[in-house]
Amino acid sequence: MNWLSDFRGPRVAGGRAARLVLGAAAVSATVLGVAGVGNAAADTVIDTIAVGDSPNGVAVSPFGSRAYVVNRGDNSVSVISRFTNTVGDTIAVGDFPVGVAVSPSGSRVYVTNQVDGTVSVISTFTNTVIDVVTVGIGPSGVAASPDGSRVYVTNSGDDTVSVIDTVTNTEVDAVTVGDAPNVLAVSPDGSRVYASNAFDGTVSVIETVGNTVIDTVTVGAGAFGVAVTPDGSRVYVTNAFDDTVSVIATATNMVVDTVTVGDLPQGVTVAPEGFRVYVANGIDETVSVVETSGNTVVETIPVGSDAFGVAASPDGSRVYVTNRSDDTVSVIAVHKCLGSLCIDTGSLVGGGSLVGARSLGSGSLASGGSLAGVTSTGSSTS
């Protein structure tokens, strides 16, 4: 595979040069955690799920019962059941879908269609497209505000971020940012949006009250994935050409640390309790696990070929990774330990405990879907 041409993706309209079209998932995560339990250890892949052609972005519903995977090769979204680790439905969307986000209520899924210049709005009750929103050129990243009133979309072809009103499903503003914006994340309080600009190697900081860029932070080469910690104090940005992750302090909008990870880091997500950051490395076919307390890599997990998107479940027990060349999703079980006591916080399917340690299976309640009008708390995107 010529990964460089694949990394850059298709050319977009308007006579522009080829742009990075990296669309990643935006994930709403409820800060649940496990009281009195230590940090994650011995994370392992417990299942591999076949999905559509060239899966790209992935997002998990706020109640954790479903994961949504966009397949850019066949213009579809695979709906994965958390409890069976199988695809329960496949939804047709627009041309070359790359990014996906779930609303805080769980009632809507938003998918960016790069070639169409649109966003498909999916009802999670019927798993059908109920609206299509026209945005800018080459939409890629997408994220919802914590209150669900706005959806933000990076347009890599015209260097803008579209602001969508979710009541009317119309673009109400467009913010000019850096060169070839890829992915974006919203702060937990909804006051800021952080958009990575691949050709600039920067992150644009947008104030949502006026939809204006208030700062630009220089990071590494090929700025790509973006994730905000649950407390809003740090932003993690993958630099695909540097094989690093930049750590930004949001109080000063300055890079305070740089973490070396695997080859071609792409998607990134912060675990809901804020102790771990998961980075998908496309060339290595691994996920780097970064401990946030010291910003050091504490684990490296083998996954599939061309690992790209990554998302954590709201309870922090599962991490989903899209493998674009394998047409699969790797399911990682997160084990949390305190001394010799280990708790597998997974669902009733695919659970397990660490060998040689006393274990408690906390499990999770089987739920068929999400409820309209129920808002998750402490949500963040990546």
Side-chain angles (χ1 to χ4, degrees):
M1 178 184 66
N2 185 337
W3 69 265
L4 184 58
S5 64
D6 185 62
F7 182 79
R8 289 179 180 270
R11 295 177 181 271
V12 295
R16 298 291 300 266
R19 314 296 266 166
L20 284 173
V21 290
L22 302 177
V27 180
S28 293
T30 306
V31 183
L32 299 177
V34 179
V37 179
N39 295 344
D43 300 345
T44 54
V45 173
I46 60 166
D47 213 339
T48 301
I49 306 168
V51 288
D53 186 6
S54 190
N56 211 72
V58 55
V60 183
S61 66
F63 303 103
S65 60
R66 291 189 174 90
Y68 298 87
V69 177
V70 291
N71 307 301
R72 63 180 188 172
D74 59 17
N75 300 335
S76 70
V77 175
S78 297
V79 184
I80 296 173
S81 168
R82 154 70 179 272
F83 308 106
T84 62
N85 284 340
T86 58
V87 175
D89 209 344
T90 301
I91 307 164
V93 288
D95 197 354
F96 208 80
V98 291
V100 59
V102 186
S103 66
S105 69
S107 63
R108 297 289 183 268
V109 172
Y110 299 88
V111 176
T112 55
N113 305 304
Q114 190 131 78
V115 174
D116 282 354
T118 63
V119 173
S120 296
V121 183
I122 297 169
S123 166
T124 60
F125 301 109
T126 60
N127 284 338
T128 57
V129 174
I130 59 172
D131 212 341
V132 177
V133 185
T134 300
V135 288
I137 300 173
S140 104
V142 57
S145 64
D147 65 1
S149 66
R150 294 289 185 269
V151 166
Y152 301 90
V153 176
T154 55
N155 303 302
S156 60
D158 60 17
D159 301 339
T160 63
V161 170
S162 294
V163 184
I164 296 173
D165 183 313
T166 59
V167 174
T168 61
N169 284 332
T170 56
E171 183 188 66
V172 294
D173 210 343
V175 185
T176 299
V177 290
D179 197 359
N182 280 315
V183 182
L184 75 175
V186 185
S187 63
D189 64 1
S191 65
R192 298 286 186 272
V193 172
Y194 301 90
S196 64
N197 306 302
F199 287 175
D200 281 354
T202 64
V203 172
S204 296
V205 183
I206 300 170
E207 184 176 57
T208 58
V209 171
N211 290 327
T212 55
V213 174
I214 59 171
D215 212 339
T216 302
V217 185
T218 299
V219 288
F224 175 34
V226 185
V228 187
T229 57
D231 65 1
S233 66
R234 294 288 186 271
V235 174
Y236 288 80
V237 181
T238 57
N239 305 305
F241 296 147
D242 282 353
D243 299 339
T244 63
V245 174
S246 296
V247 185
I248 300 172
T250 58
T252 59
N253 286 331
M254 296 179 61
V255 173
V256 294
D257 212 342
T258 302
V259 186
T260 299
V261 288
D263 197 353
L264 192 65
Q266 304 181 116
V268 59
T269 191
V270 182
E273 79 284 348
F275 294 147
R276 294 287 188 268
V277 173
Y278 293 84
V279 179
N281 305 304
I283 299 299
D284 279 358
E285 302 179 358
T286 63
V287 170
S288 296
V289 184
V290 179
E291 187 179 63
T292 56
S293 60
N295 287 325
T296 55
V297 175
V298 295
E299 286 187 75
T300 301
I301 307 168
V303 287
S305 180
D306 191 12
F308 187 82
V310 59
S313 63
D315 63 0
S317 67
R318 295 290 183 265
V319 172
Y320 298 87
V321 182
T322 59
N323 307 305
R324 292 196 298 190
S325 295
D326 283 353
D327 299 340
T328 62
V329 171
S330 297
V331 184
I332 299 171
V334 177
H335 297 278
K336 306 190 178 195
C337 300
L338 181 61
S340 62
L341 178 63
C342 290
I343 298 177
D344 176 6
T345 58
S347 67
L348 299 179
V349 174
S353 59
L354 296 181
V355 175
R358 291 183 296 140
S359 65
L360 299 174
S362 63
S364 62
L365 296 178
S367 170
S370 53
L371 301 176
V374 180
T375 303
S376 62
T377 58
S379 63
S380 62
T381 60
S382 71

